[in-house]
mmCIF file of all heavy atoms in Angstrom:
data_model
loop_
_atom_site.group_PDB
_atom_site.id
_atom_site.type_symbol
_atom_site.label_atom_id
_atom_site.label_comp_id
_atom_site.label_asym_id
_atom_site.label_seq_id
_atom_site.Cartn_x
_atom_site.Cartn_y
_atom_site.Cartn_z
ATOM 1 N N THR B 36 29.090 32.871 6.020
ATOM 2 C CA THR B 36 28.177 32.681 4.936
ATOM 3 C C THR B 36 26.755 32.983 5.269
ATOM 4 O O THR B 36 26.028 33.499 4.541
ATOM 5 C CB THR B 36 28.356 31.267 4.351
ATOM 6 O OG1 THR B 36 28.272 30.392 5.435
ATOM 7 C CG2 THR B 36 29.662 31.061 3.645
ATOM 8 N N PRO B 52 11.563 30.480 1.531
ATOM 9 C CA PRO B 52 11.270 29.572 0.451
ATOM 10 C C PRO B 52 9.783 29.663 0.026
ATOM 11 O O PRO B 52 8.904 29.788 0.933
ATOM 12 C CB PRO B 52 11.653 28.214 0.927
ATOM 13 C CG PRO B 52 11.829 28.360 2.375
ATOM 14 C CD PRO B 52 12.143 29.760 2.694
ATOM 15 N N VAL B 69 -9.910 19.952 7.163
ATOM 16 C CA VAL B 69 -10.980 19.571 8.150
ATOM 17 C C VAL B 69 -12.272 19.697 7.363
ATOM 18 O O VAL B 69 -12.699 20.691 6.924
ATOM 19 C CB VAL B 69 -11.048 20.605 9.288
ATOM 20 C CG1 VAL B 69 -12.065 20.221 10.315
ATOM 21 C CG2 VAL B 69 -9.672 20.659 9.930
ATOM 22 N N VAL B 86 -14.618 24.412 20.353
ATOM 23 C CA VAL B 86 -13.536 24.155 21.242
ATOM 24 C C VAL B 86 -12.644 22.938 20.724
ATOM 25 O O VAL B 86 -11.391 22.923 20.769
ATOM 26 C CB VAL B 86 -14.091 23.730 22.643
ATOM 27 C CG1 VAL B 86 -13.022 23.256 23.529
ATOM 28 C CG2 VAL B 86 -14.724 24.977 23.291
ATOM 29 N N ALA B 119 -7.581 19.205 -2.697
ATOM 30 C CA ALA B 119 -6.946 20.070 -1.729
ATOM 31 C C ALA B 119 -5.535 19.527 -1.486
ATOM 32 O O ALA B 119 -5.365 18.270 -1.333
ATOM 33 C CB ALA B 119 -7.757 20.075 -0.430
ATOM 34 N N ARG B 132 -22.945 12.844 4.593
ATOM 35 C CA ARG B 132 -22.150 12.435 3.479
ATOM 36 C C ARG B 132 -20.777 11.833 3.816
ATOM 37 O O ARG B 132 -19.903 11.722 2.989
ATOM 38 C CB ARG B 132 -21.856 13.716 2.622
ATOM 39 C CG ARG B 132 -23.046 14.154 1.681
ATOM 40 C CD ARG B 132 -22.595 15.109 0.713
ATOM 41 N NE ARG B 132 -22.776 16.448 1.192
ATOM 42 C CZ ARG B 132 -23.929 17.153 1.141
ATOM 43 N NH1 ARG B 132 -24.976 16.589 0.453
ATOM 44 N NH2 ARG B 132 -24.034 18.354 1.614
ATOM 45 N N ASP B 178 -30.159 9.001 42.240
ATOM 46 C CA ASP B 178 -29.806 8.992 43.623
ATOM 47 C C ASP B 178 -30.409 10.185 44.414
ATOM 48 O O ASP B 178 -30.477 10.121 45.625
ATOM 49 C CB ASP B 178 -28.233 9.012 43.712
ATOM 50 C CG ASP B 178 -27.669 7.724 43.205
ATOM 51 O OD1 ASP B 178 -28.416 6.704 42.961
ATOM 52 O OD2 ASP B 178 -26.452 7.656 43.034
ATOM 53 N N THR B 188 -33.076 14.781 23.608
ATOM 54 C CA THR B 188 -31.933 14.321 22.920
ATOM 55 C C THR B 188 -31.444 15.219 21.707
ATOM 56 O O THR B 188 -32.205 16.172 21.404
ATOM 57 C CB THR B 188 -32.219 12.930 22.244
ATOM 58 O OG1 THR B 188 -32.809 13.131 21.006
ATOM 59 C CG2 THR B 188 -32.971 12.068 23.220
ATOM 60 N N ILE B 200 -39.349 10.422 20.363
ATOM 61 C CA ILE B 200 -38.719 9.271 19.731
ATOM 62 C C ILE B 200 -39.523 8.004 20.076
ATOM 63 O O ILE B 200 -39.707 7.702 21.322
ATOM 64 C CB ILE B 200 -37.358 9.135 20.320
ATOM 65 C CG1 ILE B 200 -36.408 10.234 19.865
ATOM 66 C CG2 ILE B 200 -36.631 7.754 19.863
ATOM 67 C CD1 ILE B 200 -35.017 10.254 20.427
ATOM 68 N N LEU B 332 -12.252 8.731 24.650
ATOM 69 C CA LEU B 332 -12.041 9.716 25.757
ATOM 70 C C LEU B 332 -13.160 9.592 26.743
ATOM 71 O O LEU B 332 -14.308 9.152 26.432
ATOM 72 C CB LEU B 332 -11.980 11.076 25.227
ATOM 73 C CG LEU B 332 -10.714 11.316 24.237
ATOM 74 C CD1 LEU B 332 -10.895 12.532 23.451
ATOM 75 C CD2 LEU B 332 -9.492 11.330 25.060
ATOM 76 N N SER B 333 -12.933 10.014 27.916
ATOM 77 C CA SER B 333 -13.986 9.932 28.936
ATOM 78 C C SER B 333 -14.320 11.261 29.531
ATOM 79 O O SER B 333 -13.505 12.144 29.665
ATOM 80 C CB SER B 333 -13.734 8.838 29.985
ATOM 81 O OG SER B 333 -12.401 9.110 30.490
#
Side-chain angles (χ1 to χ4, degrees):
Chain B
T36 46
V69 182
V86 170
R132 280 192 270 273
D178 292 348
T188 80
I200 295 180
L332 297 167
S333 51

